[in-house]
Amino acid sequence: MNLNCPECKNDVDLSVFPNLEKDQVIECNTCGISLLVTEINGDAVTAEVTDEGK
């Protein structure tokens, strides 16, 4: 699966989330911002920012 952080535009390492589901909150490993998974469509994951980074 692939997800680009909407904040920093880097790839998010999804390997640390083996059971990724819609409406799950994850953290970008680059900028630390919290992301809410809004859609999982095959290998594409869509997320929106839910909280500001650290």
Side-chain angles (χ1 to χ4, degrees), residues 9-28:
K9 308 300 183 214
N10 289 300
D11 288 335
V12 178
D13 180 11
L14 297 177
S15 67
V16 296
F17 306 105
N19 299 315
L20 193 62
E21 297 179 0
K22 185 178 177 187
D23 297 326
Q24 182 176 349
V25 176
I26 62 174
E27 184 177 293
C28 175

PDB file of all heavy atoms in Angstrom, residues 9-28:
ATOM      1  N   LYS A   9       4.254  15.725   2.133  1.00  0.00           N
ATOM      2  CA  LYS A   9       4.348  15.142   0.781  1.00  0.00           C
ATOM      3  C   LYS A   9       5.303  13.956   0.678  1.00  0.00           C
ATOM      4  O   LYS A   9       5.603  13.497  -0.414  1.00  0.00           O
ATOM      5  CB  LYS A   9       4.737  16.198  -0.263  1.00  0.00           C
ATOM      6  CG  LYS A   9       3.887  17.445  -0.252  1.00  0.00           C
ATOM      7  CD  LYS A   9       2.432  17.162  -0.507  1.00  0.00           C
ATOM      8  CE  LYS A   9       1.650  18.472  -0.551  1.00  0.00           C
ATOM      9  NZ  LYS A   9       0.324  18.359  -0.019  1.00  0.00           N
ATOM     10  N   ASN A  10       5.802  13.428   1.790  1.00  0.00           N
ATOM     11  CA  ASN A  10       6.672  12.258   1.787  1.00  0.00           C
ATOM     12  C   ASN A  10       5.834  10.988   1.893  1.00  0.00           C
ATOM     13  O   ASN A  10       4.688  11.020   2.327  1.00  0.00           O
ATOM     14  CB  ASN A  10       7.664  12.313   2.953  1.00  0.00           C
ATOM     15  CG  ASN A  10       8.712  13.377   2.756  1.00  0.00           C
ATOM     16  OD1 ASN A  10       9.463  13.355   1.799  1.00  0.00           O
ATOM     17  ND2 ASN A  10       8.752  14.336   3.667  1.00  0.00           N
ATOM     18  N   ASP A  11       6.430   9.851   1.513  1.00  0.00           N
ATOM     19  CA  ASP A  11       5.763   8.560   1.666  1.00  0.00           C
ATOM     20  C   ASP A  11       5.691   8.194   3.137  1.00  0.00           C
ATOM     21  O   ASP A  11       6.663   8.347   3.871  1.00  0.00           O
ATOM     22  CB  ASP A  11       6.518   7.461   0.915  1.00  0.00           C
ATOM     23  CG  ASP A  11       6.382   7.586  -0.593  1.00  0.00           C
ATOM     24  OD1 ASP A  11       5.384   8.170  -1.048  1.00  0.00           O
ATOM     25  OD2 ASP A  11       7.266   7.094  -1.305  1.00  0.00           O
ATOM     26  N   VAL A  12       4.536   7.709   3.566  1.00  0.00           N
ATOM     27  CA  VAL A  12       4.351   7.244   4.939  1.00  0.00           C
ATOM     28  C   VAL A  12       4.678   5.758   4.970  1.00  0.00           C
ATOM     29  O   VAL A  12       4.222   4.993   4.117  1.00  0.00           O
ATOM     30  CB  VAL A  12       2.900   7.484   5.415  1.00  0.00           C
ATOM     31  CG1 VAL A  12       2.690   6.950   6.823  1.00  0.00           C
ATOM     32  CG2 VAL A  12       2.565   8.968   5.351  1.00  0.00           C
ATOM     33  N   ASP A  13       5.483   5.329   5.948  1.00  0.00           N
ATOM     34  CA  ASP A  13       5.850   3.922   6.098  1.00  0.00           C
ATOM     35  C   ASP A  13       4.666   3.164   6.685  1.00  0.00           C
ATOM     36  O   ASP A  13       4.421   3.196   7.893  1.00  0.00           O
ATOM     37  CB  ASP A  13       7.080   3.795   7.002  1.00  0.00           C
ATOM     38  CG  ASP A  13       7.510   2.348   7.185  1.00  0.00           C
ATOM     39  OD1 ASP A  13       7.003   1.464   6.457  1.00  0.00           O
ATOM     40  OD2 ASP A  13       8.366   2.106   8.050  1.00  0.00           O
ATOM     41  N   LEU A  14       3.919   2.482   5.816  1.00  0.00           N
ATOM     42  CA  LEU A  14       2.725   1.760   6.265  1.00  0.00           C
ATOM     43  C   LEU A  14       3.043   0.369   6.785  1.00  0.00           C
ATOM     44  O   LEU A  14       2.160  -0.318   7.273  1.00  0.00           O
ATOM     45  CB  LEU A  14       1.714   1.681   5.117  1.00  0.00           C
ATOM     46  CG  LEU A  14       1.171   3.026   4.638  1.00  0.00           C
ATOM     47  CD1 LEU A  14       0.244   2.817   3.449  1.00  0.00           C
ATOM     48  CD2 LEU A  14       0.452   3.768   5.751  1.00  0.00           C
ATOM     49  N   SER A  15       4.319  -0.049   6.718  1.00  0.00           N
ATOM     50  CA  SER A  15       4.685  -1.387   7.201  1.00  0.00           C
ATOM     51  C   SER A  15       4.511  -1.508   8.717  1.00  0.00           C
ATOM     52  O   SER A  15       4.380  -2.610   9.229  1.00  0.00           O
ATOM     53  CB  SER A  15       6.124  -1.720   6.810  1.00  0.00           C
ATOM     54  OG  SER A  15       7.035  -0.878   7.491  1.00  0.00           O
ATOM     55  N   VAL A  16       4.485  -0.380   9.423  1.00  0.00           N
ATOM     56  CA  VAL A  16       4.297  -0.420  10.881  1.00  0.00           C
ATOM     57  C   VAL A  16       2.808  -0.490  11.247  1.00  0.00           C
ATOM     58  O   VAL A  16       2.457  -0.562  12.420  1.00  0.00           O
ATOM     59  CB  VAL A  16       4.959   0.794  11.573  1.00  0.00           C
ATOM     60  CG1 VAL A  16       6.461   0.755  11.390  1.00  0.00           C
ATOM     61  CG2 VAL A  16       4.405   2.102  11.062  1.00  0.00           C
ATOM     62  N   PHE A  17       1.946  -0.498  10.233  1.00  0.00           N
ATOM     63  CA  PHE A  17       0.499  -0.628  10.435  1.00  0.00           C
ATOM     64  C   PHE A  17       0.000  -1.816   9.625  1.00  0.00           C
ATOM     65  O   PHE A  17      -0.633  -1.658   8.578  1.00  0.00           O
ATOM     66  CB  PHE A  17      -0.225   0.655   9.988  1.00  0.00           C
ATOM     67  CG  PHE A  17       0.300   1.906  10.619  1.00  0.00           C
ATOM     68  CD1 PHE A  17       1.096   2.780   9.890  1.00  0.00           C
ATOM     69  CD2 PHE A  17       0.019   2.213  11.934  1.00  0.00           C
ATOM     70  CE1 PHE A  17       1.585   3.945  10.452  1.00  0.00           C
ATOM     71  CE2 PHE A  17       0.516   3.369  12.516  1.00  0.00           C
ATOM     72  CZ  PHE A  17       1.300   4.233  11.779  1.00  0.00           C
ATOM     73  N   PRO A  18       0.255  -3.051  10.102  1.00  0.00           N
ATOM     74  CA  PRO A  18      -0.067  -4.237   9.295  1.00  0.00           C
ATOM     75  C   PRO A  18      -1.568  -4.452   9.074  1.00  0.00           C
ATOM     76  O   PRO A  18      -1.963  -5.051   8.088  1.00  0.00           O
ATOM     77  CB  PRO A  18       0.542  -5.389  10.096  1.00  0.00           C
ATOM     78  CG  PRO A  18       0.643  -4.879  11.491  1.00  0.00           C
ATOM     79  CD  PRO A  18       0.858  -3.393  11.371  1.00  0.00           C
ATOM     80  N   ASN A  19      -2.412  -3.967   9.963  1.00  0.00           N
ATOM     81  CA  ASN A  19      -3.860  -4.168   9.840  1.00  0.00           C
ATOM     82  C   ASN A  19      -4.566  -2.836   9.639  1.00  0.00           C
ATOM     83  O   ASN A  19      -5.520  -2.502  10.336  1.00  0.00           O
ATOM     84  CB  ASN A  19      -4.405  -4.874  11.086  1.00  0.00           C
ATOM     85  CG  ASN A  19      -3.771  -6.235  11.268  1.00  0.00           C
ATOM     86  OD1 ASN A  19      -3.644  -7.004  10.331  1.00  0.00           O
ATOM     87  ND2 ASN A  19      -3.350  -6.529  12.478  1.00  0.00           N
ATOM     88  N   LEU A  20      -4.101  -2.082   8.658  1.00  0.00           N
ATOM     89  CA  LEU A  20      -4.630  -0.749   8.394  1.00  0.00           C
ATOM     90  C   LEU A  20      -6.100  -0.815   7.998  1.00  0.00           C
ATOM     91  O   LEU A  20      -6.496  -1.640   7.174  1.00  0.00           O
ATOM     92  CB  LEU A  20      -3.817  -0.097   7.278  1.00  0.00           C
ATOM     93  CG  LEU A  20      -4.021   1.390   7.059  1.00  0.00           C
ATOM     94  CD1 LEU A  20      -3.603   2.176   8.302  1.00  0.00           C
ATOM     95  CD2 LEU A  20      -3.221   1.858   5.861  1.00  0.00           C
ATOM     96  N   GLU A  21      -6.918   0.049   8.628  1.00  0.00           N
ATOM     97  CA  GLU A  21      -8.347   0.078   8.349  1.00  0.00           C
ATOM     98  C   GLU A  21      -8.811   1.517   8.168  1.00  0.00           C
ATOM     99  O   GLU A  21      -8.183   2.454   8.654  1.00  0.00           O
ATOM    100  CB  GLU A  21      -9.120  -0.542   9.519  1.00  0.00           C
ATOM    101  CG  GLU A  21      -8.820  -2.002   9.753  1.00  0.00           C
ATOM    102  CD  GLU A  21      -9.587  -2.563  10.935  1.00  0.00           C
ATOM    103  OE1 GLU A  21     -10.347  -1.814  11.576  1.00  0.00           O
ATOM    104  OE2 GLU A  21      -9.414  -3.754  11.213  1.00  0.00           O
ATOM    105  N   LYS A  22      -9.943   1.664   7.481  1.00  0.00           N
ATOM    106  CA  LYS A  22     -10.552   2.982   7.320  1.00  0.00           C
ATOM    107  C   LYS A  22     -10.903   3.545   8.698  1.00  0.00           C
ATOM    108  O   LYS A  22     -11.273   2.803   9.607  1.00  0.00           O
ATOM    109  CB  LYS A  22     -11.811   2.865   6.453  1.00  0.00           C
ATOM    110  CG  LYS A  22     -12.439   4.194   6.139  1.00  0.00           C
ATOM    111  CD  LYS A  22     -13.646   4.041   5.256  1.00  0.00           C
ATOM    112  CE  LYS A  22     -14.268   5.400   5.049  1.00  0.00           C
ATOM    113  NZ  LYS A  22     -15.526   5.328   4.337  1.00  0.00           N
ATOM    114  N   ASP A  23     -10.762   4.856   8.866  1.00  0.00           N
ATOM    115  CA  ASP A  23     -11.043   5.590  10.107  1.00  0.00           C
ATOM    116  C   ASP A  23      -9.991   5.357  11.186  1.00  0.00           C
ATOM    117  O   ASP A  23     -10.191   5.750  12.334  1.00  0.00           O
ATOM    118  CB  ASP A  23     -12.444   5.291  10.660  1.00  0.00           C
ATOM    119  CG  ASP A  23     -13.540   5.744   9.702  1.00  0.00           C
ATOM    120  OD1 ASP A  23     -13.342   6.765   9.014  1.00  0.00           O
ATOM    121  OD2 ASP A  23     -14.592   5.079   9.643  1.00  0.00           O
ATOM    122  N   GLN A  24      -8.873   4.724  10.832  1.00  0.00           N
ATOM    123  CA  GLN A  24      -7.767   4.542  11.776  1.00  0.00           C
ATOM    124  C   GLN A  24      -6.884   5.784  11.743  1.00  0.00           C
ATOM    125  O   GLN A  24      -6.654   6.366  10.695  1.00  0.00           O
ATOM    126  CB  GLN A  24      -6.945   3.313  11.391  1.00  0.00           C
ATOM    127  CG  GLN A  24      -5.800   3.015  12.331  1.00  0.00           C
ATOM    128  CD  GLN A  24      -5.079   1.727  11.949  1.00  0.00           C
ATOM    129  OE1 GLN A  24      -5.544   0.947  11.121  1.00  0.00           O
ATOM    130  NE2 GLN A  24      -3.939   1.515  12.555  1.00  0.00           N
ATOM    131  N   VAL A  25      -6.411   6.212  12.914  1.00  0.00           N
ATOM    132  CA  VAL A  25      -5.496   7.340  12.987  1.00  0.00           C
ATOM    133  C   VAL A  25      -4.074   6.802  13.015  1.00  0.00           C
ATOM    134  O   VAL A  25      -3.744   5.933  13.822  1.00  0.00           O
ATOM    135  CB  VAL A  25      -5.772   8.214  14.239  1.00  0.00           C
ATOM    136  CG1 VAL A  25      -4.750   9.336  14.352  1.00  0.00           C
ATOM    137  CG2 VAL A  25      -7.182   8.792  14.182  1.00  0.00           C
ATOM    138  N   ILE A  26      -3.251   7.298  12.087  1.00  0.00           N
ATOM    139  CA  ILE A  26      -1.853   6.888  12.010  1.00  0.00           C
ATOM    140  C   ILE A  26      -0.980   8.129  12.074  1.00  0.00           C
ATOM    141  O   ILE A  26      -1.487   9.253  12.014  1.00  0.00           O
ATOM    142  CB  ILE A  26      -1.565   6.071  10.723  1.00  0.00           C
ATOM    143  CG1 ILE A  26      -1.821   6.917   9.477  1.00  0.00           C
ATOM    144  CG2 ILE A  26      -2.379   4.790  10.705  1.00  0.00           C
ATOM    145  CD1 ILE A  26      -1.409   6.229   8.186  1.00  0.00           C
ATOM    146  N   GLU A  27       0.316   7.940  12.206  1.00  0.00           N
ATOM    147  CA  GLU A  27       1.240   9.064  12.296  1.00  0.00           C
ATOM    148  C   GLU A  27       2.252   9.000  11.162  1.00  0.00           C
ATOM    149  O   GLU A  27       2.788   7.935  10.862  1.00  0.00           O
ATOM    150  CB  GLU A  27       1.970   9.025  13.636  1.00  0.00           C
ATOM    151  CG  GLU A  27       2.879  10.213  13.861  1.00  0.00           C
ATOM    152  CD  GLU A  27       3.527  10.174  15.238  1.00  0.00           C
ATOM    153  OE1 GLU A  27       2.792  10.316  16.233  1.00  0.00           O
ATOM    154  OE2 GLU A  27       4.751   9.982  15.296  1.00  0.00           O
ATOM    155  N   CYS A  28       2.497  10.139  10.539  1.00  0.00           N
ATOM    156  CA  CYS A  28       3.519  10.213   9.502  1.00  0.00           C
ATOM    157  C   CYS A  28       4.885  10.059  10.153  1.00  0.00           C
ATOM    158  O   CYS A  28       5.208  10.774  11.101  1.00  0.00           O
ATOM    159  CB  CYS A  28       3.435  11.541   8.760  1.00  0.00           C
ATOM    160  SG  CYS A  28       4.763  11.775   7.554  1.00  0.00           S
TER     161      CYS A  28
END
